[in-house]
Structure formats: structure tokens, C-alpha cells
Amino acid sequence: MNKVTVCRKAHFNAAHKLYNSDWTDARNTLVFGKCSNPNFHGHNYELIVSVKGPIHPETGFVMDMKELKKIMNEEIIDVFDHKNLNEEVAEFENLNPTAENISVVIWNKLRPLIDKKLELTVTLYETPRNFVIFSGE
Ligand code: NI
């Protein structure tokens, strides 16, 4: 069976601060650099959601992209865009909002809403050069 990966890109701006409260300020600065700035800072996040599976014989689709767009907008963009992730998104109340952790949170939000037969991968760019990939493993 031919399996095809369909992908949709989206974008959100969000602020964050990376900080481990068990550490001294000096150690936080050493490890997280500018991302530990106590006054927060923003990133232009680029999100790519990839869904892999067989082509449905009746539609010719792997997944209806209108539906994927709707899910991404409602579950991710409406929740994250122009927000302070540490203070306004419940999942990060006690979780450092690194790109790694954000990708896992996004995957966990989307997974229940996409057909179980389809493989889901989240790719998240925090900067044009730094990005992470999470496939649920
Ligand atoms: Ni940062």
C-alpha cells in the first residue's frame, strides 16, 4: 500500500522564559543564556504537522486538509499565538517551554483528534536554524 505524508505549516508568535527553579540564577544563565531572561522574550515559531498513511480510495486523500487546518487552528494556534507560554498556557505551568517540550505538548494535543491509523509527526522551528521533531516515541 502506498503511504503518503501530508503536511501543513502554521505559524505562531509566543513569549517564553527557560528556567529551572532548583538552580541558581547564575546556573540558569549559564545553561539557558538569553532564553533565561527573567522578563521573557519572543520567538516566531514555525510549526509543521505531518500525517502519514494510505490514500483513501474514495477521496484520494490521506486526510482532509481542511480538517487538519481546523484542528491545528483550534488546538494550537488559538491557544499559543501571542501568548506568554510560561504564564498563559497551562501545560507549561511546571514544564520548561523549550522547543522540545512544546513539540511534545503539541503532539499530545493533536494525537487524540487524528485517526489512529495515521502516523503523526510534529516539526517545530524555534528559529530558522533550530528545529525539533517529535513522532510520539
Ligand atoms: Ni527562547
Side-chain angles (χ1 to χ4, degrees):
M1 184 168 316
N2 294 323
K3 285 193 171 181
V4 176
T5 305
V6 297
C7 307
R8 183 173 169 85
K9 290 171 83 171
H11 177 86
F12 60 92
N13 301 320
H16 77 166
K17 173 182 75 172
L18 301 182
Y19 196 81
N20 184 328
S21 57
D22 293 336
W23 295 352
T24 62
D25 285 351
R27 186 167 178 203
N28 273 288
T29 301
L30 187 67
V31 173
F32 297 122
K34 288 178 179 173
C35 278
S36 71
N37 174 7
N39 292 321
F40 303 94
H41 64 278
H43 289 283
N44 298 315
Y45 291 95
E46 292 286 348
L47 170 65
I48 301 169
V49 173
S50 306
V51 177
K52 182 179 179 183
I55 300 171
H56 193 284
E58 288 180 320
T59 60
F61 292 161
V62 171
M63 178 176 178
D64 185 340
M65 296 300 269
K66 296 188 297 297
E67 179 64 16
L68 184 57
K69 175 186 178 181
K70 180 170 180 282
I71 292 169
M72 288 169 64
N73 281 339
E74 290 178 359
E75 298 297 320
I76 311 302
I77 305 306
D78 291 353
V79 178
F80 288 9
D81 191 36
H82 285 75
K83 296 290 170 56
N84 179 320
L85 297 177
N86 301 76
E87 299 195 344
E88 295 180 278
V89 178
E91 284 84 353
F92 301 110
E93 196 177 334
N94 296 302
L95 181 67
N96 227 4
T98 59
E100 291 88 331
N101 282 329
I102 298 169
S103 73
V104 173
V105 166
I106 291 172
W107 192 93
N108 285 331
K109 283 172 164 288
L110 297 178
R111 183 66 274 186
L113 302 172
I114 293 170
D115 189 330
K116 284 187 177 57
K117 293 191 293 291
L118 303 174
E119 296 170 38
L120 173 65
T121 297
V122 168
T123 303
L124 182 69
Y125 283 77
E126 190 172 74
T127 73
R129 294 178 193 276
N130 294 344
F131 63 99
V132 300
I133 302 171
F134 183 61
S135 301
E137 293 167 21

mmCIF file of all heavy atoms in Angstrom, residues 110-137:
data_model
loop_
_atom_site.group_PDB
_atom_site.id
_atom_site.type_symbol
_atom_site.label_atom_id
_atom_site.label_comp_id
_atom_site.label_asym_id
_atom_site.label_seq_id
_atom_site.Cartn_x
_atom_site.Cartn_y
_atom_site.Cartn_z
ATOM 1 N N LEU A 110 -2.793 17.058 19.564
ATOM 2 C CA LEU A 110 -3.327 16.679 18.253
ATOM 3 C C LEU A 110 -3.657 15.191 18.145
ATOM 4 O O LEU A 110 -4.603 14.808 17.446
ATOM 5 C CB LEU A 110 -2.327 17.053 17.152
ATOM 6 C CG LEU A 110 -2.025 18.545 17.004
ATOM 7 C CD1 LEU A 110 -0.973 18.749 15.915
ATOM 8 C CD2 LEU A 110 -3.281 19.342 16.687
ATOM 9 N N ARG A 111 -2.858 14.372 18.804
ATOM 10 C CA ARG A 111 -2.973 12.911 18.612
ATOM 11 C C ARG A 111 -4.397 12.371 18.785
ATOM 12 O O ARG A 111 -4.847 11.571 17.947
ATOM 13 C CB ARG A 111 -1.978 12.200 19.541
ATOM 14 C CG ARG A 111 -1.907 10.680 19.431
ATOM 15 C CD ARG A 111 -1.362 10.174 18.103
ATOM 16 N NE ARG A 111 -2.371 10.054 17.060
ATOM 17 C CZ ARG A 111 -2.136 9.528 15.853
ATOM 18 N NH1 ARG A 111 -0.921 9.103 15.548
ATOM 19 N NH2 ARG A 111 -3.078 9.466 14.952
ATOM 20 N N PRO A 112 -5.126 12.761 19.843
ATOM 21 C CA PRO A 112 -6.471 12.194 20.007
ATOM 22 C C PRO A 112 -7.457 12.623 18.917
ATOM 23 O O PRO A 112 -8.515 12.009 18.775
ATOM 24 C CB PRO A 112 -6.936 12.741 21.370
ATOM 25 C CG PRO A 112 -5.729 13.305 22.027
ATOM 26 C CD PRO A 112 -4.775 13.666 20.953
ATOM 27 N N LEU A 113 -7.117 13.646 18.150
ATOM 28 C CA LEU A 113 -8.057 14.205 17.173
ATOM 29 C C LEU A 113 -7.799 13.723 15.749
ATOM 30 O O LEU A 113 -8.512 14.093 14.823
ATOM 31 C CB LEU A 113 -7.990 15.742 17.221
ATOM 32 C CG LEU A 113 -8.297 16.333 18.605
ATOM 33 C CD1 LEU A 113 -8.019 17.820 18.614
ATOM 34 C CD2 LEU A 113 -9.744 16.049 18.992
ATOM 35 N N ILE A 114 -6.752 12.915 15.585
ATOM 36 C CA ILE A 114 -6.393 12.418 14.253
ATOM 37 C C ILE A 114 -6.525 10.893 14.251
ATOM 38 O O ILE A 114 -6.120 10.229 15.219
ATOM 39 C CB ILE A 114 -4.961 12.876 13.893
ATOM 40 C CG1 ILE A 114 -4.948 14.406 13.718
ATOM 41 C CG2 ILE A 114 -4.449 12.192 12.633
ATOM 42 C CD1 ILE A 114 -3.590 15.016 13.597
ATOM 43 N N ASP A 115 -7.082 10.372 13.178
ATOM 44 C CA ASP A 115 -7.308 8.925 13.022
ATOM 45 C C ASP A 115 -6.095 8.117 13.506
ATOM 46 O O ASP A 115 -4.963 8.385 13.099
ATOM 47 C CB ASP A 115 -7.560 8.658 11.528
ATOM 48 C CG ASP A 115 -8.020 7.239 11.262
ATOM 49 O OD1 ASP A 115 -7.646 6.324 12.021
ATOM 50 O OD2 ASP A 115 -8.763 7.057 10.278
ATOM 51 N N LYS A 116 -6.359 7.124 14.357
ATOM 52 C CA LYS A 116 -5.268 6.327 14.951
ATOM 53 C C LYS A 116 -4.439 5.603 13.906
ATOM 54 O O LYS A 116 -3.281 5.264 14.148
ATOM 55 C CB LYS A 116 -5.858 5.292 15.924
ATOM 56 C CG LYS A 116 -6.313 5.871 17.249
ATOM 57 C CD LYS A 116 -6.721 4.753 18.206
ATOM 58 C CE LYS A 116 -7.105 5.306 19.572
ATOM 59 N NZ LYS A 116 -8.199 6.300 19.466
ATOM 60 N N LYS A 117 -5.018 5.324 12.741
ATOM 61 C CA LYS A 117 -4.290 4.606 11.691
ATOM 62 C C LYS A 117 -3.220 5.479 11.036
ATOM 63 O O LYS A 117 -2.365 4.986 10.313
ATOM 64 C CB LYS A 117 -5.267 4.122 10.611
ATOM 65 C CG LYS A 117 -6.240 3.055 11.097
ATOM 66 C CD LYS A 117 -7.001 2.418 9.949
ATOM 67 C CE LYS A 117 -7.949 3.368 9.247
ATOM 68 N NZ LYS A 117 -9.118 3.766 10.054
ATOM 69 N N LEU A 118 -3.280 6.770 11.279
ATOM 70 C CA LEU A 118 -2.344 7.700 10.645
ATOM 71 C C LEU A 118 -1.211 8.049 11.611
ATOM 72 O O LEU A 118 -1.449 8.265 12.799
ATOM 73 C CB LEU A 118 -3.083 8.974 10.220
ATOM 74 C CG LEU A 118 -4.270 8.759 9.272
ATOM 75 C CD1 LEU A 118 -5.006 10.065 9.050
ATOM 76 C CD2 LEU A 118 -3.796 8.169 7.957
ATOM 77 N N GLU A 119 0.022 8.091 11.083
ATOM 78 C CA GLU A 119 1.180 8.448 11.907
ATOM 79 C C GLU A 119 1.289 9.974 11.963
ATOM 80 O O GLU A 119 1.120 10.653 10.944
ATOM 81 C CB GLU A 119 2.470 7.885 11.297
ATOM 82 C CG GLU A 119 2.512 6.382 11.256
ATOM 83 C CD GLU A 119 3.680 5.864 10.422
ATOM 84 O OE1 GLU A 119 4.769 6.473 10.484
ATOM 85 O OE2 GLU A 119 3.492 4.867 9.699
ATOM 86 N N LEU A 120 1.597 10.473 13.152
ATOM 87 C CA LEU A 120 1.654 11.920 13.362
ATOM 88 C C LEU A 120 3.071 12.350 13.743
ATOM 89 O O LEU A 120 3.689 11.744 14.627
ATOM 90 C CB LEU A 120 0.686 12.299 14.492
ATOM 91 C CG LEU A 120 0.718 13.744 14.977
ATOM 92 C CD1 LEU A 120 0.272 14.696 13.871
ATOM 93 C CD2 LEU A 120 -0.165 13.897 16.215
ATOM 94 N N THR A 121 3.566 13.371 13.064
ATOM 95 C CA THR A 121 4.874 13.945 13.400
ATOM 96 C C THR A 121 4.736 15.461 13.504
ATOM 97 O O THR A 121 4.105 16.098 12.657
ATOM 98 C CB THR A 121 5.927 13.600 12.322
ATOM 99 O OG1 THR A 121 6.092 12.183 12.280
ATOM 100 C CG2 THR A 121 7.268 14.261 12.630
ATOM 101 N N VAL A 122 5.334 16.014 14.554
ATOM 102 C CA VAL A 122 5.353 17.460 14.749
ATOM 103 C C VAL A 122 6.778 17.959 14.563
ATOM 104 O O VAL A 122 7.710 17.451 15.192
ATOM 105 C CB VAL A 122 4.848 17.809 16.172
ATOM 106 C CG1 VAL A 122 5.146 19.270 16.506
ATOM 107 C CG2 VAL A 122 3.356 17.530 16.289
ATOM 108 N N THR A 123 6.942 18.928 13.682
ATOM 109 C CA THR A 123 8.231 19.600 13.498
ATOM 110 C C THR A 123 8.040 21.047 13.918
ATOM 111 O O THR A 123 7.092 21.706 13.475
ATOM 112 C CB THR A 123 8.677 19.531 12.020
ATOM 113 O OG1 THR A 123 8.730 18.160 11.618
ATOM 114 C CG2 THR A 123 10.042 20.188 11.822
ATOM 115 N N LEU A 124 8.909 21.524 14.794
ATOM 116 C CA LEU A 124 8.750 22.879 15.310
ATOM 117 C C LEU A 124 10.066 23.636 15.187
ATOM 118 O O LEU A 124 11.084 23.227 15.740
ATOM 119 C CB LEU A 124 8.322 22.825 16.786
ATOM 120 C CG LEU A 124 8.062 24.186 17.434
ATOM 121 C CD1 LEU A 124 6.804 24.825 16.856
ATOM 122 C CD2 LEU A 124 7.956 24.056 18.950
ATOM 123 N N TYR A 125 10.011 24.743 14.439
ATOM 124 C CA TYR A 125 11.167 25.639 14.306
ATOM 125 C C TYR A 125 11.041 26.741 15.343
ATOM 126 O O TYR A 125 10.048 27.471 15.354
ATOM 127 C CB TYR A 125 11.197 26.288 12.922
ATOM 128 C CG TYR A 125 11.680 25.396 11.815
ATOM 129 C CD1 TYR A 125 10.855 24.415 11.281
ATOM 130 C CD2 TYR A 125 12.957 25.548 11.273
ATOM 131 C CE1 TYR A 125 11.305 23.591 10.262
ATOM 132 C CE2 TYR A 125 13.408 24.734 10.249
ATOM 133 C CZ TYR A 125 12.581 23.759 9.745
ATOM 134 O OH TYR A 125 13.026 22.950 8.732
ATOM 135 N N GLU A 126 12.076 26.857 16.194
ATOM 136 C CA GLU A 126 12.091 27.969 17.144
ATOM 137 C C GLU A 126 12.801 29.171 16.536
ATOM 138 O O GLU A 126 12.469 30.325 16.819
ATOM 139 C CB GLU A 126 12.763 27.556 18.452
ATOM 140 C CG GLU A 126 12.594 28.586 19.555
ATOM 141 C CD GLU A 126 13.105 28.078 20.883
ATOM 142 O OE1 GLU A 126 14.332 28.010 21.058
ATOM 143 O OE2 GLU A 126 12.278 27.739 21.741
ATOM 144 N N THR A 127 13.787 28.885 15.714
ATOM 145 C CA THR A 127 14.449 29.905 14.899
ATOM 146 C C THR A 127 14.575 29.290 13.504
ATOM 147 O O THR A 127 14.355 28.088 13.338
ATOM 148 C CB THR A 127 15.858 30.244 15.436
ATOM 149 O OG1 THR A 127 16.743 29.151 15.128
ATOM 150 C CG2 THR A 127 15.848 30.498 16.937
ATOM 151 N N PRO A 128 14.950 30.093 12.495
ATOM 152 C CA PRO A 128 15.081 29.494 11.161
ATOM 153 C C PRO A 128 16.088 28.341 11.124
ATOM 154 O O PRO A 128 16.015 27.477 10.244
ATOM 155 C CB PRO A 128 15.551 30.670 10.304
ATOM 156 C CG PRO A 128 14.983 31.872 10.990
ATOM 157 C CD PRO A 128 15.101 31.558 12.470
ATOM 158 N N ARG A 129 17.027 28.315 12.073
ATOM 159 C CA ARG A 129 18.072 27.291 12.033
ATOM 160 C C ARG A 129 17.917 26.197 13.076
ATOM 161 O O ARG A 129 18.559 25.150 12.959
ATOM 162 C CB ARG A 129 19.454 27.948 12.211
ATOM 163 C CG ARG A 129 19.831 28.861 11.074
ATOM 164 C CD ARG A 129 21.168 29.517 11.336
ATOM 165 N NE ARG A 129 21.413 30.610 10.414
ATOM 166 C CZ ARG A 129 21.908 30.460 9.185
ATOM 167 N NH1 ARG A 129 22.207 29.263 8.751
ATOM 168 N NH2 ARG A 129 22.095 31.496 8.410
ATOM 169 N N ASN A 130 17.126 26.426 14.107
ATOM 170 C CA ASN A 130 16.959 25.427 15.176
ATOM 171 C C ASN A 130 15.548 24.872 15.154
ATOM 172 O O ASN A 130 14.580 25.623 15.309
ATOM 173 C CB ASN A 130 17.193 26.049 16.561
ATOM 174 C CG ASN A 130 18.618 26.487 16.759
ATOM 175 O OD1 ASN A 130 19.519 26.084 16.018
ATOM 176 N ND2 ASN A 130 18.849 27.301 17.766
ATOM 177 N N PHE A 131 15.456 23.547 14.973
ATOM 178 C CA PHE A 131 14.134 22.945 14.992
ATOM 179 C C PHE A 131 14.188 21.555 15.602
ATOM 180 O O PHE A 131 15.247 20.949 15.706
ATOM 181 C CB PHE A 131 13.515 22.911 13.581
ATOM 182 C CG PHE A 131 14.256 22.077 12.567
ATOM 183 C CD1 PHE A 131 13.840 20.789 12.273
ATOM 184 C CD2 PHE A 131 15.344 22.597 11.879
ATOM 185 C CE1 PHE A 131 14.510 20.019 11.324
ATOM 186 C CE2 PHE A 131 16.013 21.846 10.927
ATOM 187 C CZ PHE A 131 15.599 20.551 10.644
ATOM 188 N N VAL A 132 13.021 21.094 16.068
ATOM 189 C CA VAL A 132 12.909 19.790 16.723
ATOM 190 C C VAL A 132 11.813 18.989 16.019
ATOM 191 O O VAL A 132 10.922 19.565 15.375
ATOM 192 C CB VAL A 132 12.576 19.925 18.230
ATOM 193 C CG1 VAL A 132 13.652 20.715 18.951
ATOM 194 C CG2 VAL A 132 11.212 20.565 18.435
ATOM 195 N N ILE A 133 11.892 17.667 16.149
ATOM 196 C CA ILE A 133 10.933 16.758 15.532
ATOM 197 C C ILE A 133 10.476 15.758 16.577
ATOM 198 O O ILE A 133 11.319 15.167 17.260
ATOM 199 C CB ILE A 133 11.573 16.014 14.333
ATOM 200 C CG1 ILE A 133 12.082 17.012 13.285
ATOM 201 C CG2 ILE A 133 10.576 15.027 13.708
ATOM 202 C CD1 ILE A 133 12.906 16.358 12.183
ATOM 203 N N PHE A 134 9.167 15.585 16.709
ATOM 204 C CA PHE A 134 8.643 14.590 17.655
ATOM 205 C C PHE A 134 7.578 13.744 16.966
ATOM 206 O O PHE A 134 6.638 14.273 16.363
ATOM 207 C CB PHE A 134 8.053 15.263 18.898
ATOM 208 C CG PHE A 134 7.557 14.290 19.925
ATOM 209 C CD1 PHE A 134 8.418 13.385 20.534
ATOM 210 C CD2 PHE A 134 6.220 14.247 20.287
ATOM 211 C CE1 PHE A 134 7.978 12.466 21.473
ATOM 212 C CE2 PHE A 134 5.757 13.345 21.244
ATOM 213 C CZ PHE A 134 6.638 12.453 21.829
ATOM 214 N N SER A 135 7.731 12.423 17.083
ATOM 215 C CA SER A 135 6.798 11.488 16.445
ATOM 216 C C SER A 135 6.104 10.583 17.455
ATOM 217 O O SER A 135 5.543 9.551 17.095
ATOM 218 C CB SER A 135 7.527 10.624 15.430
ATOM 219 O OG SER A 135 8.130 11.423 14.436
ATOM 220 N N GLY A 136 6.207 10.923 18.736
ATOM 221 C CA GLY A 136 5.483 10.160 19.735
ATOM 222 C C GLY A 136 6.231 8.994 20.339
ATOM 223 O O GLY A 136 5.655 8.194 21.074
ATOM 224 N N GLU A 137 7.513 8.865 20.041
ATOM 225 C CA GLU A 137 8.298 7.760 20.598
ATOM 226 C C GLU A 137 9.098 8.208 21.797
ATOM 227 O O GLU A 137 9.626 9.305 21.801
ATOM 228 C CB GLU A 137 9.271 7.210 19.542
ATOM 229 C CG GLU A 137 8.539 6.537 18.407
ATOM 230 C CD GLU A 137 9.475 6.287 17.206
ATOM 231 O OE1 GLU A 137 10.701 6.265 17.396
ATOM 232 O OE2 GLU A 137 8.942 6.139 16.113
#
